Amino acid sequence: MATATHTLLPEEASATPPAESVVVRFAGDSGDGMQLTGGQFTLSTALSGNDLATFPDFPAEIRAPQGTLFGVSAFQINFGSTEITTAGDQPDVLVAMNPAALKVNVDQLRAGGLIIADEGEFTERNLAKAKYEANPLDDGSLAKWQLMKLNISQLTLDAVKPFGLGNKEALRCKNMWTLGLALWMFDRDRQPIVDWLNQKFAKKPILAEANIAALNAGHAYGETAELSGPMKQHPIAPAPAEAGLYRTVTGAEAISLGLVAGAQLAGLPMFFGGYPITPASAILHHLARLKEYDVTTFQAEDEIAAICSAIGASYAGQLGVTSSSGPGIALKGEAMGLAIMTELPLVIVNSQRGGPSTGLPTKTEQSDLYQAVYGRNGDAPMPVIAARSAADCFDCAIEACRIAVEYMTPVMLLTDGYLANAAEPWRVPDMSAYAPFPVRFLDAVPEGGFLPYARNAKGARPWVKPGTPGLLHRIGGIEKSVGTGNIDYSPANHQAMTELRQGKVLGINVPDQEIDLGGAGGKLVVVGWGSTFGPIHQAVRRARLRGLDVSHIHIRHIWPMPGNLGPLLKSYDKVLVPEMNTGQLKTVLRDQFLVDAQPLNKVSGQPFRIAEIEAAIDAALA
């Protein structure tokens, strides 16, 4: 495999990244097991001590016709011996299991990169499905890349022949053959994969043995193929890391663990009401396995029932949580208003995807910021937090729980399809370092009598479990009287209650905004939120290595915003805001701080590449 021979700074951020990091993309039909292959390669990479970031890219169709362009599934991993914060701009290696996978992905492969193609699948029929007029493996159209043609299908059939599988079942082992080859290429240990296969097929040992045979055959092929052609072994040294216990997590896993940790820090049982929707469903799946931590999970019949059940749980004295993606969040809108009116704690996780309507169910976008900040009827302010990485989802989930119970308010936590599915190493934290925020329910009539909507110094009303003697009170969606909570929709009362709810949210204790890279003041600051952190950070770092005056600010607290953010933004000559939408944070920054924030928008369903943001920085400073 061709690699860069020059040496610059040993990090992903160098203007031309050296061979300390490699980007590999596995691509094939949705039935070829590419996500499984990528996931197991990620496991072996993590066990080798490399830093990594992944990008699973699913087709929207549940089962697209085999061999078609819209049925291609891909899994990309960027791994190396240095800090990795993105899944990589361009693959160095593309494993294409059929013509459609090659056509959809090859133009993203860097010049000189390696294509490993299963020529056994490049039949006339499959070429026609992929809209190829000629076989690209033979017509010279791939000349700017290195090409390794292997009949992976036949090699797999040969490897598993002793196990007596049918042709269709035998070909399902192709992904393990491919994984074995990849493990050889990057000097990975096969044993963890062997152990996993034995566990996965414990009740079908023949399948376990067949898949292990395919894995070993792919590895053995690499050992012999290195004698000629472009196939070379390329070991990657472990990345330096602080001592500690590490594991890989996806954003969905980290949010689930963070929600449980947040409930524990609050001293509350947790109730999760959810409804299956891509890409949010994984949170329900993970939490369902954590019942021993006083977690109740409920799969409701629809989105409205899911959030209403969570509100009911909060009313009963548990921490209510629900999650969805954009279309489901829209359905939950009225119930969010109910939680705001009743002033009950609730955590709402929005794993954003491309919209509107059904939109791009399996692709990523950041287009729900308006919906999060403004998207309810009436003046219904609600805190909004955005996670920047898969690992950061853990801390953001805890922060959402803290704000919800301390201020008696629903909180929305924003992630997106990229964060929900992407994986990265995570150092398991020492929970003793997290300050508890235990809930104190009102359990006796206070001096002077009980007022359900009396407020403490933070503007939060008391939390009372129903049935507490002497503390009977009304709750519901009609406007409440100041203090008493009785129904009262007189003009003066509505004005007062609207301002009280608004003041409570705006008064939330939000940490001052930090500068992630650079200093206060200068020619340009790049401001981001959510999953754009990695490409922005690396683009800014590369630009600074070239001597450009540019800084990076990444906002976690979208609403209310940090108190120092306005003066900080005004200390720069220009403000650039990259977003995977048509300019939503840009609009909020202009509205709140009267700064001339300039947008850099991308709504392709794919994450930003570092080079795209770096080019925008150059243009802004030209």
Side-chain angles (χ1 to χ4, degrees):
M1 185 178 70
T3 58
T5 57
H6 53 275
T7 55
L8 293 174
L9 290 181
E11 55 189 16
E12 181 191 8
S14 56
T16 309
E20 278 84 0
S21 66
V22 174
V23 181
V24 178
R25 180 178 296 183
F26 301 94
D29 262 324
S30 56
D32 283 338
M34 293 297 93
Q35 304 304 323
L36 190 79
T37 304
Q40 291 306 305
F41 187 75
T42 298
L43 171 64
S44 68
T45 300
L47 290 172
S48 297
N50 297 133
D51 197 10
L52 62 94
T54 70
F55 176 43
D57 194 12
F58 307 95
E61 288 76 12
I62 293 173
R63 196 72 164 120
Q66 195 169 4
T68 57
L69 295 172
F70 51 87
V72 173
S73 177
F75 186 102
Q76 181 164 307
I77 177 171
N78 183 11
F79 60 99
S81 56
T82 60
E83 180 188 3
I84 302 293
T85 62
T86 78
D89 274 16
Q90 295 177 291
D92 299 295
V93 180
L94 171 63
V95 180
M97 302 299 283
N98 62 15
L102 178 68
K103 187 157 197 176
V104 168
N105 292 282
V106 71
D107 287 337
Q108 297 173 54
L109 185 68
R110 69 165 179 82
L114 174 64
I115 299 169
I116 301 173
D118 180 6
E119 63 178 344
E121 289 294 318
F122 280 69
T123 62
E124 286 189 18
R125 184 181 182 191
N126 284 345
L127 289 167
K129 287 182 182 179
K131 305 191 185 309
Y132 276 118
E133 295 181 1
N135 190 336
L137 303 184
D138 302 324
D139 66 2
S141 61
L142 306 177
K144 68 176 180 179
W145 298 289
Q146 300 178 79
L147 176 62
M148 191 95 182
K149 299 184 289 184
L150 311 175
N151 194 334
I152 296 175
S153 297
Q154 187 58 52
L155 289 165
T156 302
L157 291 174
D158 294 343
V160 304
K161 188 175 181 180
F163 302 97
L165 302 180
N167 197 65
K168 186 176 181 181
E169 205 163 33
L171 284 174
R172 285 179 179 158
C173 300
K174 281 198 307 180
N175 62 333
M176 286 298 109
W177 194 99
T178 306
L179 178 59
L181 180 64
L183 293 177
W184 172 83
M185 284 183 69
F186 299 103
D187 197 20
R188 299 281 181 260
D189 184 9
R190 280 168 285 167
Q191 192 57 46
I193 314 301
V194 171
D195 294 341
W196 175 80
L197 285 167
N198 281 322
Q199 182 181 14
K200 178 177 176 63
F201 295 111
K203 295 182 179 179
K204 297 180 179 179
I206 292 294
L207 290 181
E209 291 174 25
N211 277 281
I212 292 168
L215 181 81
N216 290 333
H219 193 276
Y221 190 93
E223 293 174 331
T224 56
E226 108 174 283
L227 299 176
S228 63
M231 186 78 70
K232 297 290 185 292
Q233 196 168 39
H234 189 74
I236 300 288
E242 294 181 57
L245 176 65
Y246 285 82
R247 59 164 291 184
T248 57
V249 288
T250 64
E253 289 172 328
I255 279 179
S256 302
L257 294 170
L259 290 170
V260 173
Q264 297 277 315
L265 290 167
L268 294 172
M270 188 177 86
F271 176 93
F272 180 90
Y275 177 78
I277 183 171
T278 304
S281 303
I283 297 174
L284 173 59
H285 301 162
H286 293 306
L287 287 173
R289 296 192 286 265
L290 299 173
K291 291 182 172 63
E292 65 268 31
Y293 298 102
D294 216 356
V295 176
T296 301
T297 52
F298 169 57
Q299 181 175 314
E301 66 270 25
D302 56 49
E303 296 282 8
I304 299 171
I307 187 172
C308 287
S309 66
I311 293 171
S314 290
Y315 176 59
Q318 298 194 16
L319 178 58
V321 182
T322 189
S323 84
S324 191
S325 299
I329 295 294
L331 289 169
K332 294 179 190 288
E334 182 183 0
M336 287 184 216
L338 175 63
I340 290 168
M341 176 65 79
T342 55
E343 299 189 48
L344 285 168
L346 179 71
V347 177
I348 305 148
V349 183
N350 181 356
S351 301
Q352 300 166 94
R353 71 191 207 189
S357 188
T358 308
L360 307 176
T362 60
K363 308 302 180 185
T364 197
E365 209 164 270
Q366 292 182 302
S367 52
D368 294 353
L369 186 140
Y370 286 159
Q371 185 183 38
V373 176
Y374 305 120
R376 292 159 294 281
N377 67 293
D379 282 296
M382 183 168 69
V384 180
I385 299 170
R388 64 173 58 182
S389 67
D392 187 50
C393 286
F394 178 81
D395 288 321
C396 286
I398 291 176
E399 176 71 346
C401 294
R402 180 191 71 82
I403 291 175
V405 299
E406 287 188 354
Y407 291 88
M408 293 293 286
T409 179
V411 179
M412 187 174 289
L413 172 55
L414 295 174
T415 69
D416 57 42
Y418 174 70
L419 287 186
N421 296 317
E424 64 179 46
W426 175 57
R427 186 184 182 200
V428 179
D430 177 4
M431 290 308 298
S432 66
Y434 288 77
F437 38 90
V439 168
R440 290 179 176 83
F441 292 98
L442 185 63
D443 56 8
V445 179
E447 187 177 344
F450 171 50
L451 292 175
Y453 279 78
R455 299 181 186 275
N456 62 18
K458 294 180 177 178
R461 73 173 190 85
W463 196 356
V464 181
K465 291 183 180 180
T468 305
L471 301 181
L472 184 69
H473 60 287
R474 288 187 178 90
I475 200 163
I478 298 180
E479 184 63 277
K480 302 293 177 291
S481 175
V482 173
T484 68
N486 296 328
I487 293 173
D488 185 347
Y489 36 82
S490 64
N493 181 76
H494 181 56
Q495 178 88 30
M497 287 297 282
T498 299
E499 291 173 356
L500 284 169
R501 289 188 291 265
Q502 180 187 48
K504 177 177 72 171
V505 171
L506 293 179
I508 289 172
N509 181 22
V510 171
D512 276 351
Q513 180 64 50
E514 296 181 351
I515 302 168
D516 292 280
L517 197 58
K523 292 183 178 178
L524 176 67
V525 63
V526 185
V527 181
W529 66 282
S531 65
T532 57
F533 176 84
I536 292 175
H537 203 65
Q538 296 299 350
V540 170
R541 185 175 287 171
R542 288 184 187 181
R544 290 178 64 83
L545 286 173
R546 294 188 286 118
L548 299 183
D549 183 6
V550 57
S551 299
H552 175 203
I553 288 175
H554 218 75
I555 303 173
R556 169 183 282 185
H557 289 272
I558 303 295
W559 197 265
M561 288 184 160
N564 69 327
L565 183 57
L568 191 56
L569 294 180
K570 290 178 180 178
S571 69
Y572 300 95
D573 295 342
K574 293 183 177 180
V575 178
L576 177 67
V577 186
E579 299 180 79
M580 291 185 289
N581 57 43
T582 55
Q584 297 185 18
L585 179 65
K586 171 267 299 180
T587 301
V588 175
L589 293 178
R590 287 179 176 180
D591 166 50
Q592 292 297 302
F593 306 121
L594 299 180
V595 293
D596 186 21
Q598 296 300 310
L600 173 62
N601 305 134
K602 183 174 184 176
V603 285
S604 64
Q606 300 290 317
F608 274 106
R609 293 189 296 117
I610 300 169
E612 292 172 328
I613 298 175
E614 197 174 4
I617 290 171
D618 290 341
L621 292 174

